[in-house]
mmCIF file of all heavy atoms in Angstrom:
data_model
loop_
_atom_site.group_PDB
_atom_site.id
_atom_site.type_symbol
_atom_site.label_atom_id
_atom_site.label_comp_id
_atom_site.label_asym_id
_atom_site.label_seq_id
_atom_site.Cartn_x
_atom_site.Cartn_y
_atom_site.Cartn_z
ATOM 1 N N GLN A 675 9.762 -10.493 -29.115
ATOM 2 C CA GLN A 675 11.007 -11.258 -28.987
ATOM 3 C C GLN A 675 12.218 -10.386 -29.291
ATOM 4 O O GLN A 675 13.255 -10.474 -28.625
ATOM 5 C CB GLN A 675 10.959 -12.462 -29.921
ATOM 6 C CG GLN A 675 9.935 -13.524 -29.500
ATOM 7 C CD GLN A 675 9.799 -14.633 -30.517
ATOM 8 O OE1 GLN A 675 10.308 -14.523 -31.644
ATOM 9 N NE2 GLN A 675 9.104 -15.696 -30.159
ATOM 10 N N ARG A 676 12.078 -9.518 -30.288
ATOM 11 C CA ARG A 676 13.180 -8.620 -30.641
ATOM 12 C C ARG A 676 13.425 -7.600 -29.527
ATOM 13 O O ARG A 676 14.574 -7.304 -29.168
ATOM 14 C CB ARG A 676 12.838 -7.916 -31.957
ATOM 15 C CG ARG A 676 13.942 -7.058 -32.511
ATOM 16 C CD ARG A 676 13.585 -6.580 -33.901
ATOM 17 N NE ARG A 676 13.516 -7.693 -34.839
ATOM 18 C CZ ARG A 676 13.061 -7.586 -36.098
ATOM 19 N NH1 ARG A 676 12.634 -6.423 -36.539
ATOM 20 N NH2 ARG A 676 13.039 -8.628 -36.885
ATOM 21 N N VAL A 677 12.349 -7.057 -28.980
ATOM 22 C CA VAL A 677 12.489 -6.101 -27.877
ATOM 23 C C VAL A 677 13.136 -6.779 -26.672
ATOM 24 O O VAL A 677 14.006 -6.197 -26.000
ATOM 25 C CB VAL A 677 11.109 -5.517 -27.504
ATOM 26 C CG1 VAL A 677 11.194 -4.737 -26.205
ATOM 27 C CG2 VAL A 677 10.599 -4.617 -28.614
ATOM 28 N N LYS A 678 12.728 -7.996 -26.391
ATOM 29 C CA LYS A 678 13.295 -8.710 -25.245
ATOM 30 C C LYS A 678 14.795 -8.930 -25.424
ATOM 31 O O LYS A 678 15.573 -8.780 -24.473
ATOM 32 C CB LYS A 678 12.577 -10.045 -25.069
ATOM 33 C CG LYS A 678 13.065 -10.840 -23.873
ATOM 34 C CD LYS A 678 12.307 -12.146 -23.730
ATOM 35 C CE LYS A 678 12.810 -12.920 -22.507
ATOM 36 N NZ LYS A 678 12.090 -14.209 -22.350
ATOM 37 N N ALA A 679 15.214 -9.308 -26.648
ATOM 38 C CA ALA A 679 16.643 -9.537 -26.892
ATOM 39 C C ALA A 679 17.440 -8.243 -26.670
ATOM 40 O O ALA A 679 18.512 -8.258 -26.046
ATOM 41 C CB ALA A 679 16.849 -10.058 -28.306
ATOM 42 N N THR A 680 16.916 -7.117 -27.164
ATOM 43 C CA THR A 680 17.622 -5.844 -26.989
ATOM 44 C C THR A 680 17.687 -5.440 -25.520
ATOM 45 O O THR A 680 18.736 -5.022 -25.014
ATOM 46 C CB THR A 680 16.922 -4.747 -27.801
ATOM 47 O OG1 THR A 680 16.879 -5.133 -29.184
ATOM 48 C CG2 THR A 680 17.659 -3.428 -27.663
ATOM 49 N N LEU A 681 16.562 -5.572 -24.826
ATOM 50 C CA LEU A 681 16.543 -5.194 -23.410
ATOM 51 C C LEU A 681 17.410 -6.121 -22.567
ATOM 52 O O LEU A 681 17.942 -5.696 -21.538
ATOM 53 C CB LEU A 681 15.106 -5.196 -22.889
ATOM 54 C CG LEU A 681 14.186 -4.111 -23.473
ATOM 55 C CD1 LEU A 681 12.790 -4.214 -22.876
ATOM 56 C CD2 LEU A 681 14.750 -2.722 -23.212
ATOM 57 N N ASN A 682 17.557 -7.369 -22.990
ATOM 58 C CA ASN A 682 18.455 -8.277 -22.261
ATOM 59 C C ASN A 682 19.898 -7.797 -22.340
ATOM 60 O O ASN A 682 20.656 -7.892 -21.370
ATOM 61 C CB ASN A 682 18.328 -9.696 -22.818
ATOM 62 C CG ASN A 682 17.080 -10.393 -22.332
ATOM 63 O OD1 ASN A 682 16.476 -9.991 -21.332
ATOM 64 N ND2 ASN A 682 16.667 -11.437 -23.019
ATOM 65 N N ILE A 683 20.301 -7.274 -23.525
ATOM 66 C CA ILE A 683 21.661 -6.732 -23.654
ATOM 67 C C ILE A 683 21.841 -5.526 -22.730
ATOM 68 O O ILE A 683 22.834 -5.418 -21.999
ATOM 69 C CB ILE A 683 21.927 -6.341 -25.118
ATOM 70 C CG1 ILE A 683 21.857 -7.580 -26.029
ATOM 71 C CG2 ILE A 683 23.288 -5.668 -25.246
ATOM 72 C CD1 ILE A 683 22.886 -8.630 -25.725
ATOM 73 N N ILE A 684 20.866 -4.621 -22.735
ATOM 74 C CA ILE A 684 20.953 -3.439 -21.866
ATOM 75 C C ILE A 684 20.974 -3.859 -20.404
ATOM 76 O O ILE A 684 21.741 -3.327 -19.587
ATOM 77 C CB ILE A 684 19.767 -2.496 -22.155
ATOM 78 C CG1 ILE A 684 19.808 -2.024 -23.606
ATOM 79 C CG2 ILE A 684 19.790 -1.297 -21.209
ATOM 80 C CD1 ILE A 684 18.609 -1.181 -24.005
ATOM 81 N N HIS A 685 20.145 -4.842 -20.075
ATOM 82 C CA HIS A 685 20.084 -5.322 -18.687
ATOM 83 C C HIS A 685 21.409 -5.932 -18.257
ATOM 84 O O HIS A 685 21.870 -5.728 -17.118
ATOM 85 C CB HIS A 685 18.945 -6.332 -18.564
ATOM 86 C CG HIS A 685 18.583 -6.673 -17.153
ATOM 87 N ND1 HIS A 685 19.040 -7.813 -16.525
ATOM 88 C CD2 HIS A 685 17.840 -6.017 -16.221
ATOM 89 C CE1 HIS A 685 18.575 -7.843 -15.297
ATOM 90 N NE2 HIS A 685 17.848 -6.776 -15.081
ATOM 91 N N SER A 686 22.038 -6.693 -19.153
ATOM 92 C CA SER A 686 23.329 -7.315 -18.812
ATOM 93 C C SER A 686 24.404 -6.248 -18.597
ATOM 94 O O SER A 686 25.257 -6.382 -17.715
ATOM 95 C CB SER A 686 23.745 -8.284 -19.916
ATOM 96 O OG SER A 686 23.937 -7.595 -21.140
ATOM 97 N N VAL A 687 24.363 -5.156 -19.396
ATOM 98 C CA VAL A 687 25.338 -4.080 -19.209
ATOM 99 C C VAL A 687 25.156 -3.434 -17.837
ATOM 100 O O VAL A 687 26.124 -3.194 -17.100
ATOM 101 C CB VAL A 687 25.185 -3.034 -20.331
ATOM 102 C CG1 VAL A 687 26.058 -1.811 -20.033
ATOM 103 C CG2 VAL A 687 25.577 -3.632 -21.663
ATOM 104 N N VAL A 688 23.901 -3.171 -17.464
ATOM 105 C CA VAL A 688 23.624 -2.542 -16.169
ATOM 106 C C VAL A 688 24.071 -3.443 -15.026
ATOM 107 O O VAL A 688 24.690 -2.991 -14.053
ATOM 108 C CB VAL A 688 22.123 -2.210 -16.050
ATOM 109 C CG1 VAL A 688 21.795 -1.708 -14.650
ATOM 110 C CG2 VAL A 688 21.725 -1.167 -17.080
ATOM 111 N N LEU A 689 23.788 -4.735 -15.134
ATOM 112 C CA LEU A 689 24.199 -5.667 -14.081
ATOM 113 C C LEU A 689 25.715 -5.789 -14.001
ATOM 114 O O LEU A 689 26.272 -5.965 -12.914
ATOM 115 C CB LEU A 689 23.567 -7.036 -14.327
ATOM 116 C CG LEU A 689 22.045 -7.113 -14.166
ATOM 117 C CD1 LEU A 689 21.572 -8.548 -14.382
ATOM 118 C CD2 LEU A 689 21.611 -6.635 -12.794
ATOM 119 N N SER A 690 26.386 -5.693 -15.153
ATOM 120 C CA SER A 690 27.855 -5.749 -15.139
ATOM 121 C C SER A 690 28.429 -4.553 -14.393
ATOM 122 O O SER A 690 29.358 -4.695 -13.589
ATOM 123 C CB SER A 690 28.381 -5.786 -16.575
ATOM 124 O OG SER A 690 27.889 -6.915 -17.269
ATOM 125 N N VAL A 691 27.871 -3.383 -14.660
ATOM 126 C CA VAL A 691 28.339 -2.178 -13.952
ATOM 127 C C VAL A 691 28.061 -2.300 -12.463
ATOM 128 O O VAL A 691 28.902 -1.962 -11.619
ATOM 129 C CB VAL A 691 27.649 -0.932 -14.539
ATOM 130 C CG1 VAL A 691 28.014 0.306 -13.724
ATOM 131 C CG2 VAL A 691 28.055 -0.742 -15.990
ATOM 132 N N LEU A 692 26.884 -2.810 -12.119
ATOM 133 C CA LEU A 692 26.532 -2.978 -10.706
ATOM 134 C C LEU A 692 27.459 -3.978 -10.024
ATOM 135 O O LEU A 692 27.932 -3.742 -8.897
ATOM 136 C CB LEU A 692 25.076 -3.450 -10.596
ATOM 137 C CG LEU A 692 24.530 -3.681 -9.179
ATOM 138 C CD1 LEU A 692 24.566 -2.398 -8.375
ATOM 139 C CD2 LEU A 692 23.104 -4.217 -9.249
ATOM 140 N N ASP A 693 27.769 -5.066 -10.705
ATOM 141 C CA ASP A 693 28.670 -6.063 -10.129
ATOM 142 C C ASP A 693 30.070 -5.490 -9.943
ATOM 143 O O ASP A 693 30.730 -5.739 -8.926
ATOM 144 C CB ASP A 693 28.698 -7.293 -11.042
ATOM 145 C CG ASP A 693 29.601 -8.378 -10.497
ATOM 146 O OD1 ASP A 693 29.313 -8.911 -9.404
ATOM 147 O OD2 ASP A 693 30.613 -8.694 -11.148
ATOM 148 N N LYS A 694 30.530 -4.691 -10.927
ATOM 149 C CA LYS A 694 31.863 -4.095 -10.811
ATOM 150 C C LYS A 694 31.916 -3.098 -9.655
ATOM 151 O O LYS A 694 32.914 -3.032 -8.923
ATOM 152 C CB LYS A 694 32.215 -3.399 -12.130
ATOM 153 C CG LYS A 694 33.603 -2.768 -12.119
ATOM 154 C CD LYS A 694 34.682 -3.816 -11.884
ATOM 155 C CE LYS A 694 36.067 -3.191 -11.841
ATOM 156 N NZ LYS A 694 37.113 -4.175 -11.541
ATOM 157 N N ASN A 695 30.860 -2.333 -9.470
ATOM 158 C CA ASN A 695 30.817 -1.397 -8.335
ATOM 159 C C ASN A 695 30.933 -2.128 -7.012
ATOM 160 O O ASN A 695 31.656 -1.704 -6.089
ATOM 161 C CB ASN A 695 29.520 -0.595 -8.375
ATOM 162 C CG ASN A 695 29.532 0.466 -9.460
ATOM 163 O OD1 ASN A 695 30.559 0.690 -10.099
ATOM 164 N ND2 ASN A 695 28.400 1.099 -9.678
ATOM 165 N N GLN A 696 30.222 -3.230 -6.892
ATOM 166 C CA GLN A 696 30.264 -3.993 -5.646
ATOM 167 C C GLN A 696 31.638 -4.594 -5.405
ATOM 168 O O GLN A 696 32.173 -4.552 -4.292
ATOM 169 C CB GLN A 696 29.201 -5.078 -5.685
ATOM 170 C CG GLN A 696 27.765 -4.540 -5.695
ATOM 171 C CD GLN A 696 26.729 -5.623 -5.836
ATOM 172 O OE1 GLN A 696 27.065 -6.793 -6.084
ATOM 173 N NE2 GLN A 696 25.462 -5.265 -5.688
ATOM 174 N N ARG A 697 32.247 -5.131 -6.470
ATOM 175 C CA ARG A 697 33.602 -5.704 -6.292
ATOM 176 C C ARG A 697 34.622 -4.630 -5.958
ATOM 177 O O ARG A 697 35.525 -4.852 -5.147
ATOM 178 C CB ARG A 697 34.002 -6.448 -7.565
ATOM 179 C CG ARG A 697 33.307 -7.804 -7.716
ATOM 180 C CD ARG A 697 33.883 -8.586 -8.854
ATOM 181 N NE ARG A 697 33.569 -7.938 -10.136
ATOM 182 C CZ ARG A 697 34.073 -8.331 -11.297
ATOM 183 N NH1 ARG A 697 34.917 -9.344 -11.349
ATOM 184 N NH2 ARG A 697 33.746 -7.713 -12.415
ATOM 185 N N THR A 698 34.486 -3.462 -6.593
ATOM 186 C CA THR A 698 35.417 -2.355 -6.296
ATOM 187 C C THR A 698 35.282 -1.914 -4.844
ATOM 188 O O THR A 698 36.285 -1.665 -4.161
ATOM 189 C CB THR A 698 35.130 -1.180 -7.234
ATOM 190 O OG1 THR A 698 35.260 -1.616 -8.593
ATOM 191 C CG2 THR A 698 36.090 -0.036 -6.972
ATOM 192 N N ARG A 699 34.050 -1.848 -4.384
ATOM 193 C CA ARG A 699 33.839 -1.451 -2.996
ATOM 194 C C ARG A 699 34.424 -2.481 -2.031
ATOM 195 O O ARG A 699 35.011 -2.132 -0.998
ATOM 196 C CB ARG A 699 32.338 -1.262 -2.742
ATOM 197 C CG ARG A 699 32.019 -0.671 -1.390
ATOM 198 C CD ARG A 699 30.587 -0.181 -1.301
ATOM 199 N NE ARG A 699 29.639 -1.225 -1.617
ATOM 200 C CZ ARG A 699 28.931 -1.271 -2.754
ATOM 201 N NH1 ARG A 699 29.097 -0.319 -3.663
ATOM 202 N NH2 ARG A 699 28.077 -2.239 -2.985
ATOM 203 N N GLU A 700 34.283 -3.740 -2.356
ATOM 204 C CA GLU A 700 34.864 -4.787 -1.501
ATOM 205 C C GLU A 700 36.384 -4.685 -1.481
ATOM 206 O O GLU A 700 37.012 -4.822 -0.415
ATOM 207 C CB GLU A 700 34.420 -6.157 -1.998
ATOM 208 C CG GLU A 700 32.926 -6.425 -1.810
ATOM 209 C CD GLU A 700 32.504 -7.742 -2.422
ATOM 210 O OE1 GLU A 700 33.393 -8.406 -3.033
ATOM 211 O OE2 GLU A 700 31.322 -8.112 -2.304
ATOM 212 N N LEU A 701 37.001 -4.433 -2.653
ATOM 213 C CA LEU A 701 38.459 -4.303 -2.705
ATOM 214 C C LEU A 701 38.923 -3.090 -1.908
ATOM 215 O O LEU A 701 39.969 -3.141 -1.238
ATOM 216 C CB LEU A 701 38.920 -4.188 -4.159
ATOM 217 C CG LEU A 701 38.752 -5.457 -5.019
ATOM 218 C CD1 LEU A 701 39.139 -5.173 -6.462
ATOM 219 C CD2 LEU A 701 39.609 -6.595 -4.471
ATOM 220 N N GLU A 702 38.173 -1.997 -1.993
ATOM 221 C CA GLU A 702 38.542 -0.812 -1.214
ATOM 222 C C GLU A 702 38.468 -1.092 0.282
ATOM 223 O O GLU A 702 39.330 -0.648 1.045
ATOM 224 C CB GLU A 702 37.612 0.350 -1.584
ATOM 225 C CG GLU A 702 37.854 0.904 -2.972
ATOM 226 C CD GLU A 702 36.871 2.005 -3.315
ATOM 227 O OE1 GLU A 702 35.963 2.237 -2.497
ATOM 228 O OE2 GLU A 702 37.018 2.631 -4.386
ATOM 229 N N GLU A 703 37.443 -1.826 0.706
ATOM 230 C CA GLU A 703 37.351 -2.160 2.123
ATOM 231 C C GLU A 703 38.514 -3.039 2.559
ATOM 232 O O GLU A 703 39.098 -2.830 3.632
ATOM 233 C CB GLU A 703 36.022 -2.871 2.382
ATOM 234 C CG GLU A 703 34.805 -1.969 2.205
ATOM 235 C CD GLU A 703 33.510 -2.727 2.385
ATOM 236 O OE1 GLU A 703 33.584 -3.961 2.582
ATOM 237 O OE2 GLU A 703 32.428 -2.093 2.336
ATOM 238 N N ILE A 704 38.886 -4.007 1.719
ATOM 239 C CA ILE A 704 40.034 -4.878 2.063
ATOM 240 C C ILE A 704 41.318 -4.056 2.122
ATOM 241 O O ILE A 704 42.155 -4.233 3.024
ATOM 242 C CB ILE A 704 40.143 -6.015 1.030
ATOM 243 C CG1 ILE A 704 38.918 -6.931 1.128
ATOM 244 C CG2 ILE A 704 41.420 -6.805 1.241
ATOM 245 C CD1 ILE A 704 38.866 -7.994 0.040
ATOM 246 N N SER A 705 41.499 -3.137 1.158
ATOM 247 C CA SER A 705 42.698 -2.298 1.135
ATOM 248 C C SER A 705 42.765 -1.402 2.377
ATOM 249 O O SER A 705 43.831 -1.228 2.969
ATOM 250 C CB SER A 705 42.696 -1.458 -0.139
ATOM 251 O OG SER A 705 43.790 -0.579 -0.149
ATOM 252 N N GLN A 706 41.609 -0.843 2.765
ATOM 253 C CA GLN A 706 41.593 -0.003 3.970
ATOM 254 C C GLN A 706 41.947 -0.804 5.211
ATOM 255 O O GLN A 706 42.670 -0.315 6.094
ATOM 256 C CB GLN A 706 40.213 0.644 4.119
ATOM 257 C CG GLN A 706 39.901 1.691 3.069
ATOM 258 C CD GLN A 706 38.501 2.241 3.200
ATOM 259 O OE1 GLN A 706 37.748 1.822 4.073
ATOM 260 N NE2 GLN A 706 38.148 3.181 2.316
ATOM 261 N N GLN A 707 41.465 -2.013 5.280
ATOM 262 C CA GLN A 707 41.802 -2.848 6.434
ATOM 263 C C GLN A 707 43.295 -3.159 6.467
ATOM 264 O O GLN A 707 43.931 -3.132 7.533
ATOM 265 C CB GLN A 707 40.985 -4.141 6.389
ATOM 266 C CG GLN A 707 39.483 -3.925 6.583
ATOM 267 C CD GLN A 707 38.702 -5.207 6.429
ATOM 268 O OE1 GLN A 707 39.272 -6.262 6.152
ATOM 269 N NE2 GLN A 707 37.386 -5.118 6.597
ATOM 270 N N LYS A 708 43.893 -3.448 5.292
ATOM 271 C CA LYS A 708 45.328 -3.750 5.247
ATOM 272 C C LYS A 708 46.149 -2.511 5.628
ATOM 273 O O LYS A 708 47.115 -2.612 6.370
ATOM 274 C CB LYS A 708 45.709 -4.222 3.848
ATOM 275 C CG LYS A 708 45.176 -5.610 3.508
ATOM 276 C CD LYS A 708 45.646 -6.046 2.135
ATOM 277 C CE LYS A 708 45.176 -7.453 1.806
ATOM 278 N NZ LYS A 708 45.610 -7.863 0.460
ATOM 279 N N ASN A 709 45.730 -1.345 5.121
ATOM 280 C CA ASN A 709 46.465 -0.122 5.444
ATOM 281 C C ASN A 709 46.379 0.199 6.931
ATOM 282 O O ASN A 709 47.356 0.637 7.553
ATOM 283 C CB ASN A 709 45.914 1.047 4.634
ATOM 284 C CG ASN A 709 46.216 0.913 3.155
ATOM 285 O OD1 ASN A 709 47.173 0.239 2.773
ATOM 286 N ND2 ASN A 709 45.404 1.549 2.309
ATOM 287 N N ALA A 710 45.196 -0.027 7.500
ATOM 288 C CA ALA A 710 45.048 0.224 8.929
ATOM 289 C C ALA A 710 45.944 -0.709 9.739
ATOM 290 O O ALA A 710 46.584 -0.292 10.709
ATOM 291 C CB ALA A 710 43.591 0.044 9.341
#
Side-chain angles (χ1 to χ4, degrees):
Q675 291 174 349
R676 186 171 294 171
V677 169
K678 182 179 181 180
T680 302
L681 293 180
N682 283 341
I683 297 298
I684 299 175
H685 193 261
S686 63
V687 172
V688 173
L689 292 182
S690 300
V691 174
L692 180 61
D693 181 63
K694 181 60 181 177
N695 286 353
Q696 294 176 352
R697 284 189 293 172
T698 302
R699 188 166 56 253
E700 292 175 357
L701 291 175
E702 289 177 355
E703 292 176 357
I704 294 174
S705 176
Q706 291 176 359
Q707 293 176 359
K708 289 183 177 179
N709 291 336

